[in-house]
């Protein structure tokens, strides 16, 4: 029994010693991603690319719909049409449909590749900046957490930190990445109420 108590005591002492000598910090991962200028640039690039591909797809779809309508109209009067010409027209419609479908598939793949490739670079930049900030500020351990408690994508997750934001390295990481952190809302203070006077009123003189 004494050995068990001694082991527990030594473990507790070791933990206290570790916590006192090691600086532990954290970064808000979702906060950094929302405010990192490269993420915003990627969002703009993806949006522009999607608009460009959508326009091209609409053009191909219009060409297909127009040719298909012509083919349908030709079937209403087939006296002067040969089987070969009908088959050729039908094949042309099928080819236009395949071109449109293939373009749509390639466009989706192109967008996904763009997002994946650029996001990987962004992730590497954020991780590298976090390591640099941690080293510069003397932190030995830095956790990744999220402002949104329901976001479980980032692991490991720090559930609680009672440091008044002292060990929050998120803004320092953003600055290291060349981004400007958003301005924090200023605290408003309520003016102190004037205390009522406690001085006694002079007693009126008797006549």
């Amino acid at each position: 029994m004494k050995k068990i108590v001694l082991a527990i005591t030594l473990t507790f002492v070791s933990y206290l010693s570790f916590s006192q000598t090691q600086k532990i910090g954290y970064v808000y991962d979702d906060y950094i991603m929302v405010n990192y200028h490269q993420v915003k640039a990627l969002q703009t690039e993806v949006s522009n690319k999607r608009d460009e591909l959508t326009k091209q797809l609409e053009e191909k779809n219009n060409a297909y719909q127009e040719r298909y309508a012509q083919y349908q109209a030709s079937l209403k009067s087939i006296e002067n049409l040969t089987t070969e010409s009908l088959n050729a027209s039908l094949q042309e419609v099928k080819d236009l449909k395949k071109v449109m479908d293939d373009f749509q598939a390639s466009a989706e793949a192109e967008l996904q590749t763009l997002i994946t490739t650029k996001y990987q670079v962004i992730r590497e930049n954020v991780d590298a900046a976090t390591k640099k900030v941690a080293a510069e500020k003397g932190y030995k351990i830095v956790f990744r957490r999220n402002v949104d408690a329901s976001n479980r994508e980032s692991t490991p997750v720090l559930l609680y930190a009672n440091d008044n934001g002292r060990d929050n390295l998120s803004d320092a990481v953003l600055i290291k990445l060349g981004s400007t952190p958003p301005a924090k809302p200023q605290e408003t203070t309520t003016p102190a109420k004037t205390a009522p006077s406690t001085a006694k009123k002079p007693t009126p003189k008797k006549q």
Side-chain angles (χ1 to χ4, degrees), residues 1-182:
M1 184 64 181
K2 291 182 178 180
K3 291 183 178 180
I4 296 176
V5 174
L6 178 61
I8 294 175
T9 302
L10 290 175
T11 301
F12 181 69
V13 171
S14 298
Y15 173 78
L16 288 178
S17 176
F18 173 81
S19 62
Q20 290 173 357
T21 57
Q22 306 294 329
K23 291 181 67 176
I24 300 176
Y26 58 90
V27 294
Y28 284 120
D29 195 59
D30 50 355
Y31 168 84
I32 291 175
M33 287 300 181
V34 167
N35 293 287
Y36 185 19
H37 68 277
Q38 284 195 6
V39 173
K40 296 177 181 179
L42 176 57
Q43 291 172 339
T44 301
E45 183 178 357
V46 170
S47 179
N48 292 338
K49 190 65 177 178
R50 182 181 289 111
D51 291 344
E52 175 188 338
L53 294 174
T54 299
K55 183 179 180 181
Q56 294 179 30
L57 180 61
E58 288 176 350
E59 291 174 353
K60 296 181 184 304
N61 181 58
N62 291 337
Y64 161 72
Q65 294 292 346
E66 182 180 352
R67 189 67 188 90
Y68 181 72
Q70 292 173 356
Y71 172 74
Q72 289 288 92
S74 68
L75 295 179
K76 295 178 181 179
S77 178
I78 60 174
E79 292 82 3
N80 298 325
L81 298 177
T82 63
T83 302
E84 290 77 11
S85 63
L86 284 174
N87 289 338
S89 296
L90 178 59
Q91 186 60 49
E92 185 179 356
V93 171
K94 290 180 178 179
D95 289 344
L96 287 173
K97 179 68 164 59
K98 186 177 186 305
V99 167
M100 182 185 68
D101 291 342
D102 290 346
F103 179 83
Q104 183 174 7
S106 65
E108 292 174 356
E110 184 178 351
L111 270 179
Q112 188 58 47
T113 299
L114 172 64
I115 294 171
T116 302
T117 303
K118 293 292 183 71
Y119 184 81
Q120 182 179 354
V121 174
I122 288 172
R123 182 77 266 173
E124 291 172 354
N125 289 344
V126 172
D127 291 345
T130 301
K131 293 176 182 178
K132 289 180 181 178
V133 170
E136 291 171 0
K137 294 182 176 294
Y139 283 85
K140 299 298 182 182
I141 298 175
V142 175
F143 287 94
R144 178 185 296 141
R145 64 186 304 199
N146 289 296
V147 176
D148 181 5
S150 64
N151 187 347
R152 298 287 181 175
E153 294 181 4
S154 298
T155 55
V157 177
L158 180 64
L159 298 179
Y160 178 72
N162 185 17
D163 65 332
N164 294 322
R166 182 184 64 253
D167 297 313
N168 181 5
L169 307 180
S170 306
D171 284 344
V173 172
L174 279 173
I175 294 172
K176 179 66 69 175
L177 290 166
S179 295
T180 303

